[in-house]
Amino acid sequence: MTHLHPERFGENARAALGDEVLRGALRKATGLFGRQRGAAVAEMPEWEALRERARAVKAEALASLDVQLERFEERATANGIQVRWARDATEACEQVKAIAERLGRPTIVKSKSMATEEIRLNEHLEQAGHRPVETDLGEWIIQLAGETPSHIIAPAIHKTKRQVGELFAEKLGIPRSEDERELTRAARRALRHSFATAELGITGANFAIAETGSILLIENEGNIRLATSMPRVLVALVGIEKVIPRLCDLQVFLRLLPRSGTGQRLTSYQSLISGPRAGSGDEGPEEMIVILLDNGRSSVLADNSLRESLACIRCGACLNACPVYRQIGGHAYGSVYAGPIGSVITPGLQGLEKTAELPFASSLCGACREVCPVKIDLPALLTRLRADVVEGRAPGQGQRPRRPRRIEKAAFAFWRWLASDPVRWTLSMRVARLAQRAGLDRLLPPARAWRKGRALRPFAPRSFRERWKEDDRRGR
Amino acid sequence: MSAREDILGRVRAALKGTVAIGAPGSPEVAAPTDLDSHAARVDAFRTRLAAAEGHLEVVADEAQAAAVLSEVVSQARAKRIAVSDAPLVAKLTRGLEGVELVDAADRAGLLAAEAGISCVQHAVAETGTLVLETHSERNRLVSLLPPLHVALLHADAILATLGDALAAVDPGGAGSASRAVTFISGPSRTADIELKLVVGVHGPRELTVLLIDPRTRENAP
Ligand code: SF4
C-alpha cells in the first residue's frame, strides 16, 4: 500500500493539498455530512443526555473490560460461536489464513472493517494466494484501483464518476459510463457472483454485546447482510474495545452513531448476530468465528488519559468537523485511522516513533470534541501526546521513547522566563516586532523550520498595552 | 502463555487501581414519550418509513392484504417470487396467479427471484424500522436478494422505540435472541460514487410494507 506512512505526514499532506479533485470531493463530503448531522441532531432534544449516557456505558465497559470480555466469550461460546484471541496483527492474520487454508481455496467476501484494514488482512491473504473481495461499493472501487480509503464513511470519495467509469470499463469489460446508477448496477451484478459462490465471509463489528454473546453490524448497502448470511463460514474480527455490557445499551448507540456519521436517523440495516445456524432448517453460516484483537489496545487502556480514545465508535463526525482533515483527507495521515481520532489512536496503537507528527496535525479548535457522540476530549488528548513528543515519553507501554526535542524545551523555558515578568515581556515584544520587520524570523534556523508549514501573522504595529496607555493619556 | 491469558492479563494489569463503575441512570434516555397510543405509533411509523423511502399499504384484514399483495407483485412485474416459510406468507400467496413461488431454501431460485415476501416480527415507530427474527421464519435471504421486498406487518407489532424492540428480541436479557435479528429501515442504499444516493445496491431497491390493521376498518367512514 502506498499511503501507509504516518512518518511522512508532512509530505503526504502537501501532496493532498495539491490534489484539486481530492480537495473538492472532501469539501463536498465533509460539508454534506456535517450539515446533515446538524439537522439530525437538532431534532433530538435529548442529544446531550444521550451523549452522556453513551460515554458512561463506554466508561463502564472499559473499566471492567476483562469481565466483559470473559462474559462475551462465555455467552458467545454457548451460542455456538468459536471465540479466538489475537495479541497482534500477525496472529490475527495467521488465524484467518489458517481458516481459509482449511477451506481450500475459498471465494472470500469481505465487508468494510477498520480492524481488518488495521491488521492489513488483505495483503496477508493475498500473499498466501487468496483473493478476498471487498464488497462495500466504495471499498470495492478502491480495491479495483489498488488504492486506500480517503474517508471513513465514503472510502472512494476521492474518485470522480468518470474515473470510476473508466476503472469499471477496464476491469469489468463493460461499456464506459458516467451514470452512478448504471455503475452501481454493474457493481451489484459483479459482486452478486462473488456472494453466490462465497464460502468464507469476513467482517468486523460495530459492537460486541457481553450479555448475549452477539455482534452488531451497521450498514446501508446490504453487503454485510449478504456476507453474514451466504457463506458457509463467517469470521468477524473484533477489537477488544468494542464490547458493551448489555443489549439494551444499543439503543443509545443506534440513536447516536448514524446521526453523527451521515446524519441518517438510522442506517438501512443493522444485523444482530448471535451464532451460526441452529440446525438444517435455519439460514446463515454453519460455522462462526469471532477473533478478539488486542494489537496495542491493552497498552492504550493502561494509559489513564489515552484510555478514553478506546470509547470511539468510529462514526467519522470528528473527521468531518476537523479543519485540517477537511483540507488534506484521509491518505495524509498514513494510517487507516485519520482525522483527530486517528491522530490519537495511531500513536496510541503504534507508539510515537513514526507517528510523532500526527498530534500536531490539528489547530486544537475543539470542533471534534463538540461533535463526538461519546464526548471524547480529543484536543486534550492531542495536547497530551504533543507533550509526550516534546518530552520524549512513550504513550502506554512497550514503545521506545523518542529523543527529547531539546530546542523546543529550551524555547518553552525561555518563553516562560519572558512571560513571567511584565518588563521583560514588553521589551521582548518590541524586539520581536523589529526582528520581524527586518525579516530575521525567516533567517534563524529553528524559526525557519517552524515556519515551513505555517504563516506567522505580522505583529501589530503597537501592542494592545501600548495603545491602551496612549488612549489613557489622551483621556479616552 | 495463550493469547487469551496474555491479553486478559494485560487488560487486568492495565485496569489495576481502576474503580469499576456501573453506568448510572436508566438505559431508556428520554425516549420519545408521545408514542403511547396505538394510533400515534402507527402514525409515526408511517412518517418515518416514508422518510426512509419505504412504501406503506394499509389494509384491514388478510383478505384485503392478499388482494393488495397481488397488485403490488403484478405492478412490479414479478414472475418469480421468493417466499419465507411463515404460515401467513403461504396463506396470502396461495391465490397469486401466473407466478412461480420460490422456496427460501432454494439458493439459485432466490438469486433469480424478482420479489421476496416475508413477515415482520416487530416494527419500531420511532424510526420506521422493521425487525426480522430468524427463529420465527426463514427470512434472511428472501428479504435481501430480490430487488423488491414485501413485508407483512401486524399493527400490534409496532413498538414505540428502539429500546422496546431490543427488549422484545431478547425478553429479560436472557440471551434468547434469534441467531440473527435484522433491523431494516428502507431499501438498500449507497452514496459511494460522488455522494449521489442510489437505492438498490446489494439489497432490494424497493421496500413495501403491508400493514394489517383491523382498526382502519373501524375508523373508516
Ligand atoms: S472520536 Fe468521536 S467523533 Fe471521532 S470517530 Fe470516534 S466517536 Fe466519532
Side-chain angles (χ1 to χ4, degrees):
Chain A
M1 282 195 224
T2 42
H3 296 294
L4 292 177
H5 292 288
E7 70 275 23
R8 290 194 214 137
F9 175 79
E11 214 177 295
N12 298 343
R14 262 190 301 282
L17 288 174
D19 184 340
E20 277 310 314
V21 175
L22 173 68
R23 292 183 64 189
L26 280 170
R27 220 171 9 249
K28 229 168 89 183
T30 56
L32 179 73
F33 291 148
R35 279 192 306 279
Q36 289 178 351
R37 177 199 168 274
V41 169
E43 64 173 32
M44 302 277 282
E46 68 275 31
W47 189 251
E48 276 313 303
L50 278 171
R51 289 173 83 201
E52 286 295 344
R53 174 77 194 167
R55 188 180 166 79
V57 170
K58 276 290 192 178
E60 177 197 8
L62 290 171
S64 56
L65 191 57
D66 52 338
V67 179
Q68 305 297 345
L69 286 168
E70 282 176 315
R71 186 171 301 156
F72 173 81
E73 182 187 39
E74 182 202 316
R75 299 291 153 86
T77 308
N79 296 346
I81 298 175
Q82 303 165 44
V83 179
R84 313 260 170 88
W85 303 70
R87 274 174 278 233
D88 55 27
T90 314
E91 259 184 23
C93 287
E94 285 300 324
Q95 289 180 9
V96 179
K97 203 172 83 184
I99 296 163
E101 233 96 275
R102 174 159 60 81
L103 297 173
R105 198 147 289 281
T107 304
I108 305 175
V109 285
K110 260 196 78 212
S111 65
K112 189 170 136 203
S113 135
M114 304 294 284
T116 58
E117 271 166 41
E118 174 189 323
I119 62 168
R120 302 198 191 184
L121 180 62
N122 284 359
E123 265 173 77
H124 206 89
L125 288 173
E126 278 158 15
Q127 272 161 21
H130 299 286
R131 310 190 69 87
V133 180
E134 291 290 347
T135 57
D136 173 86
L137 179 58
E139 290 280 338
W140 188 60
I141 291 171
I142 55 176
Q143 188 184 37
L144 285 180
E147 295 173 10
T148 53
S150 53
H151 190 283
I152 185 172
I153 308 274
I157 185 63
H158 58 288
K159 299 202 93 62
T160 62
K161 277 196 284 203
R162 167 179 298 217
Q163 289 172 325
V164 175
E166 280 165 9
L167 182 71
F168 280 15
E170 184 201 324
K171 302 277 177 178
L172 310 178
I174 59 165
R176 192 164 304 199
S177 165
E178 284 187 32
D179 178 56
E180 66 275 1
R181 275 164 313 203
E182 190 72 45
L183 293 168
T184 304
R185 267 200 296 278
R188 177 184 169 109
R189 277 194 301 273
L191 287 168
R192 268 297 161 95
H193 181 73
S194 301
F195 280 121
T197 53
E199 289 147 274
L200 175 59
I202 303 176
T203 70
N206 293 93
F207 299 95
I209 299 113
E211 174 184 70
T212 55
S214 327
I215 57 170
L216 184 92
L217 294 134
I218 300 180
E219 60 159 339
N220 277 310
E221 294 189 359
N223 63 311
I224 294 183
R225 288 184 63 196
L226 287 165
T228 54
S229 306
M230 296 196 77
R232 200 157 61 76
V233 179
L234 170 63
V235 176
L237 209 97
V238 185
I240 53 172
E241 85 285 16
K242 295 276 180 214
V243 63
I244 56 172
R246 297 156 297 261
L247 188 65
C248 67
D249 294 327
L250 277 178
Q251 61 183 301
V252 179
F253 296 106
L254 288 181
R255 288 193 180 109
L256 286 168
L257 200 157
R259 283 185 167 91
S260 298
T262 54
Q264 285 176 280
R265 290 196 182 106
L266 205 55
T267 58
S268 295
Y269 304 123
Q270 295 81 40
S271 301
L272 180 72
I273 303 178
S274 309
R277 65 165 70 178
S280 59
D282 202 2
E283 290 173 294
E286 287 162 24
E287 209 183 315
M288 178 172 169
I289 299 145
V290 169
I291 300 176
L292 294 170
L293 174 74
D294 184 342
N295 205 31
R297 287 161 174 78
S298 54
S299 302
V300 178
L301 189 73
D303 186 312
N304 273 333
S305 58
L306 288 189
R307 177 183 295 175
E308 190 181 346
S309 66
L310 294 176
C312 171
I313 55 173
R314 313 264 188 270
C315 71
C318 61
L319 282 68
N320 295 328
C322 176
V324 175
Y325 177 88
R326 292 165 79 120
Q327 295 299 328
I328 62 175
H331 289 151
Y333 294 81
S335 156
V336 291
Y337 303 110
I341 185 65
S343 296
V344 172
I345 51 184
T346 305
L349 297 178
Q350 298 182 10
L352 280 165
E353 189 82 347
K354 289 185 173 166
T355 62
E357 284 190 66
L358 296 181
F360 295 88
S362 162
S363 63
L364 299 181
C365 69
C368 47
R369 183 179 44 206
E370 291 298 304
V371 296
C372 178
V374 283
K375 298 185 89 161
I376 298 175
D377 192 349
L378 289 157
L381 299 184
L382 288 166
T383 316
R384 153 61 214 288
L385 284 168
R386 287 180 183 191
D388 283 355
V389 171
V390 173
E391 281 158 33
R393 271 196 311 263
Q397 309 152 342
Q399 282 108 14
R400 262 189 300 148
R402 281 186 87 265
R403 207 157 42 85
R405 286 194 182 166
R406 248 182 294 133
I407 182 136
E408 217 162 319
K409 274 173 87 171
F412 275 111
F414 182 57
W415 182 83
R416 200 156 47 228
W417 178 77
L418 282 180
S420 53
D421 178 283
V423 178
R424 284 203 289 263
W425 180 249
T426 319
L427 256 169
S428 73
M429 284 298 108
R430 281 201 201 135
V431 172
R433 201 154 63 213
L434 289 172
Q436 192 182 34
R437 249 182 251 158
L440 283 181
D441 60 325
R442 248 159 296 180
L443 294 175
L444 291 170
R448 201 168 55 206
W450 187 87
R451 285 205 46 170
K452 247 164 89 182
R454 303 168 174 87
L456 190 62
R457 279 179 63 102
F459 284 100
R462 284 175 302 144
S463 77
F464 176 76
R465 287 156 63 101
E466 287 164 343
R467 275 166 49 199
W468 181 268
K469 269 199 203 137
E470 272 172 43
D471 288 354
D472 231 18
R473 264 193 309 251
R474 286 196 213 126
R476 271 191 245 168
Chain B
M1 211 190 300
S2 74
R4 178 184 186 277
E5 294 313 312
D6 212 12
I7 294 170
L8 282 173
R10 288 167 64 90
V11 167
R12 280 188 202 112
L15 292 176
K16 201 163 260 162
T18 302
V19 190
I21 41 163
S26 124
E28 189 77 26
V29 176
T33 49
D34 50 354
L35 298 171
D36 288 341
S37 76
H38 174 85
R41 285 195 295 275
V42 173
D43 250 19
F45 177 77
R46 265 171 187 278
T47 319
R48 294 302 202 197
L49 179 70
E53 278 151 294
H55 305 294
L56 184 72
E57 302 279 349
V58 189
V59 293
D61 53 33
E62 292 177 1
Q64 267 186 30
V68 173
L69 182 64
S70 119
E71 254 171 59
V72 169
V73 164
S74 74
Q75 247 170 37
R77 295 210 193 86
K79 294 286 169 224
R80 276 166 299 192
I81 298 173
V83 287
S84 78
D85 57 357
L88 181 62
V89 173
K91 198 167 159 194
L92 297 192
T93 50
R94 206 168 290 147
L96 289 181
E97 281 165 20
V99 300
E100 178 197 338
L101 296 184
V102 177
D103 184 87
D106 171 6
R107 205 36 93 83
L110 281 176
L111 281 159
E114 286 120 7
I117 305 175
S118 77
C119 284
V120 171
Q121 280 66 52
H122 317 280
V124 185
E126 178 193 355
T127 48
T129 303
L130 308 174
V131 185
L132 277 62
E133 297 172 324
T134 48
H135 64 200
S136 303
E137 62 180 298
R138 278 198 186 197
N139 52 29
R140 249 171 133 163
L141 295 175
V142 163
S143 63
L144 178 61
L145 288 171
L148 165 67
H149 174 209
V150 184
L152 309 174
L153 168 67
H154 266 290
D156 290 340
I158 302 181
L159 306 167
T161 66
L162 283 169
D164 295 339
L166 288 166
V169 301
D170 184 23
S176 60
S178 277
R179 296 294 155 165
V181 181
T182 312
F183 298 78
I184 299 177
S185 308
S188 130
R189 71 192 77 211
T190 185
D192 274 351
I193 300 176
E194 288 197 7
L195 296 173
K196 303 243 163 44
L197 181 71
V198 180
V199 290
V201 48
H202 289 292
R205 193 166 50 231
E206 247 179 283
L207 170 68
T208 296
V209 178
L210 266 187
L211 178 67
I212 304 170
D213 187 1
R215 269 163 269 214
T216 47
R217 191 179 8 232
E218 290 154 29
N219 297 340

